[in-house]
Amino acid sequence: MDTPSDTTTAPPPPRNFELLQKKSSTGDTSSDLLEISMGPQHPSTHGVFRMDLVLDGERVVKLKPVFGYLHRNHEKIGENTTYLGSMPFTDRLDYFCSLTNNWAYALAVEKLAGLQVPERAEYIRVITAELTRLQNHACLGGFLLQDMGAMGTPIMYAFREREKILDLFEALTGARMMCNYMRFGGCRCDLPPGWLEQARQVVDAFPRFLDEFEALLNENEILMSRTQGVGFLPRDLAINASITGPMLRASGVNYDIRKVDKYGLYDRFSFRVPLGAHGDVYDRYMIRVLEMRESLKILQPALRDIPEGPIVDPKAKLRGFRPKPGEAYGRIEAPKGELGFYLISDGSPNPYRYRVRPPSLINLTILEDMCLGHLVGDVVVILGSVDIVLGEVDR
Amino acid sequence: MESLEQIKARAENAIAGARLEVILNGSPSCQHSMLVDEEHALAVARFLRDDPLLRFDYASNVTGVDWPDTVVKKIIKVKQIVDGVERELDQSVEEKKAGHLEAVYHLYSMQLNHGPFVLRLRTADRAERNHLPSLTPVWRGAEFQEREAFDLYGIIFDGHPDLRRILMWDEFKDFPMRKDYLEPDDYEYEPTPHADVLEKAQKHVKEAV
């Protein structure tokens, strides 16, 4: 019987990953570090997004997000077209919330050109923006639960409500998601007959869905154990890292641009800003549920008090629109955070500089800080609670 | 919020040698901005963040702007003696203005609820001297946005913790948001090992013939 000689060495086993030497401060080298690439086609990344993870066992010791899979240089395209030509393209930024994207862009151009918006158009803007917020937050709750393994049920409940709101958008703008509805100094078209009544029915039925959603999930044991104490974001870090939207308020910072800037007609409605106490994933989930209730408080009086009147500033020109040289930064409280547009005009029909301040991208700044020390399964949940849309992250 | 002149005076008092300049904005938005020299930018940024009357703790928007080299044609009056009589004649003069890259920061205060304060930094030129100090040590929120300005405009932020391309791929050479960027003819072209093989094969075919 042949014995294998000592000189022959077995070929190394095939490796699909790289093993790194563990660099621990305590000198503990009980295990190797494993570098894995999560995404870009992972279902939990909500699009084409990749994270380079370095794991110690199942604990995250390093995380670097990788962007750019959907990059189409939106800003360059915006510089090469007219001001109005960019309006339909803003729909594609955060394709869940096209109406708030429209509003942010219209607001920045109105600041640049000094246009006034008639009262009825402002009411329509508030109503459509709050409806957008409702469907975004409802779906985020569904997606988050799906990331935790609640396959189907919560997301289907949320999408059932979203369908009703999208039907309203379709009746108003002709499109369900790519609405292209706002114009500089107003809106594109008036409300169709019977739309307000239909919207009232949707809004009146919404609390029932919320009650059901909350009864199913708020005290759900799996939800609580997966989210409470996970992905902690301290208050000071949240401010310093420019985190905005529900994520910031879940860390206990009272900053809502609807209250701070009082753009549109938000100073006419009484609503509260829910704040979190712990800054973990559960707070971020609860903030969104509570914000939906506050949105309903804005929608009910808005649908009741909307006046008759013109919907576009008569001074606003559709053709030959050339603002005076100058610059303006306009921002709104989009469902995902502060959505801003920075425009520089040189007096020509195209903007000299067209910049989008994407809340989704900037909210990812502290993804690594929130994930360190957690398990891989928690990374999925933490990323879900940030609420990103890759159309906006990569632009 | 104090006026920009007041902030300028107090900042120049607090930081020795800082050169600040108010840049007026002609649009109805009235968002005037403050140009800061690059040597003192970090100190001015810390002053803006920590001063009890300002407290700009939130850097909302950070971006780059490209101002290419321009040639301005000016018509000036020149006195010349024509046929023994002194006359004023028009003469066109070309004046070259060097371009620069600009980083723009929109700052707000979450504590005092005011803003925006627009901070501008300018590079010396667009080619080699395209360095600016990074303000990420002051506002962490600038991290990804400065990376984006580096990626798309080619502004090099000294002191940035992780200055890599963010949206374009690492091997990409040019800066697509610059005004003089030329689109490649073929986006899909990449040199592959296959190209070498093909070249060799064609050479062999030629030799055989």
Side-chain angles (χ1 to χ4, degrees), chain A residues 67-68 71 73 76 79 111-112 240 242 244 326-329 331 338 342 352-353 355 357 362 369 395, chain B residues 25 27-29 31 58-64 66 68 108 120 138 140-141 145 148 153 176-179:
Chain A
F67 313 98
H71 181 55
N73 219 335
K76 190 84 173 178
E79 285 175 13
K111 280 193 175 176
L112 185 69
N240 194 246
S242 302
T244 46
E327 61 173 55
Y329 179 65
R331 56 175 198 162
E338 171 185 333
Y342 173 56
Y352 183 81
R353 177 78 177 100
R355 150 85 179 162
R357 186 239 187 247
I362 296 162
D369 302 61
R395 283 162 299 136
Chain B
N25 175 4
S27 87
S29 71
Q31 293 170 349
Y58 165 44
S60 162
N61 179 40
V62 181
T63 186
D66 181 21
Y108 286 85
R120 306 183 100 90
V138 185
R140 173 98 192 272
Q145 304 186 73
E148 198 185 312
Y153 281 96
M177 279 300 282
R178 289 199 183 187
K179 291 283 177 186

Side-chain angles (χ1 to χ4, degrees), chain B:
Chain B
M1 196 173 99
E2 296 173 293
S3 73
L4 284 186
E5 268 75 24
Q6 285 170 315
I7 296 175
K8 175 175 183 275
R10 287 207 301 124
E12 282 175 340
N13 254 339
I15 301 143
R19 295 184 303 279
L20 283 79
E21 187 189 331
V22 176
I23 293 177
L24 294 177
N25 175 4
S27 87
S29 71
C30 288
Q31 293 170 349
H32 309 302
S33 48
M34 184 85 84
L35 180 68
V36 181
D37 66 313
E38 50 181 289
E39 292 141 50
H40 299 94
L42 211 57
V44 171
R46 289 220 168 85
F47 169 79
L48 291 170
R49 187 192 61 183
D50 298 334
D51 186 79
L53 288 176
L54 301 174
R55 292 260 184 241
F56 288 114
D57 48 7
Y58 165 44
S60 162
N61 179 40
V62 181
T63 186
V65 186
D66 181 21
W67 301 97
D69 306 341
T70 46
V71 178
V72 184
K73 275 190 181 175
K74 274 187 181 171
I75 292 174
I76 54 167
K77 303 271 186 189
V78 180
K79 285 185 180 173
Q80 267 187 342
I81 297 170
V82 183
D83 303 334
V85 186
E86 198 184 46
R87 282 189 189 175
E88 276 199 345
L89 291 178
D90 289 351
Q91 196 179 355
S92 75
V93 178
E94 284 191 350
E95 200 177 295
K96 271 192 185 173
K97 275 176 83 178
H100 54 261
L101 298 164
E102 198 172 52
V104 185
Y105 295 75
H106 285 81
L107 311 176
Y108 286 85
S109 170
M110 280 191 184
Q111 276 183 35
L112 304 175
N113 275 353
H114 60 222
F117 179 87
V118 190
L119 184 75
R120 306 183 100 90
L121 307 177
R122 281 183 187 166
T123 62
D125 63 25
R126 298 171 72 243
E128 282 91 40
R129 292 156 69 202
N130 55 349
H131 288 252
L132 285 180
S134 166
L135 301 188
T136 306
V138 185
W139 294 291
R140 173 98 192 272
E143 182 184 342
F144 283 177
Q145 304 186 73
E146 280 182 350
R147 258 178 85 183
E148 198 185 312
F150 161 72
D151 187 1
L152 304 180
Y153 281 96
I155 306 172
I156 296 172
F157 289 95
D158 297 325
H160 191 284
D162 184 23
L163 197 66
R164 288 178 293 135
R165 287 194 176 268
I166 184 169
L167 294 173
M168 308 301 285
W169 55 101
D170 290 337
E171 296 79 19
F172 192 78
K173 290 280 185 286
D174 215 340
F175 303 113
M177 279 300 282
R178 289 199 183 187
K179 291 283 177 186
D180 52 3
Y181 172 73
L182 287 177
E183 286 180 38
D185 295 332
D186 182 3
Y187 278 105
E188 306 291 321
Y189 176 75
E190 274 178 23
T192 59
H194 182 73
D196 291 348
V197 176
L198 202 69
E199 206 175 307
K200 218 186 268 179
Q202 280 167 350
K203 207 170 135 197
H204 289 163
V205 170
K206 270 184 200 163
E207 281 169 2
V209 172

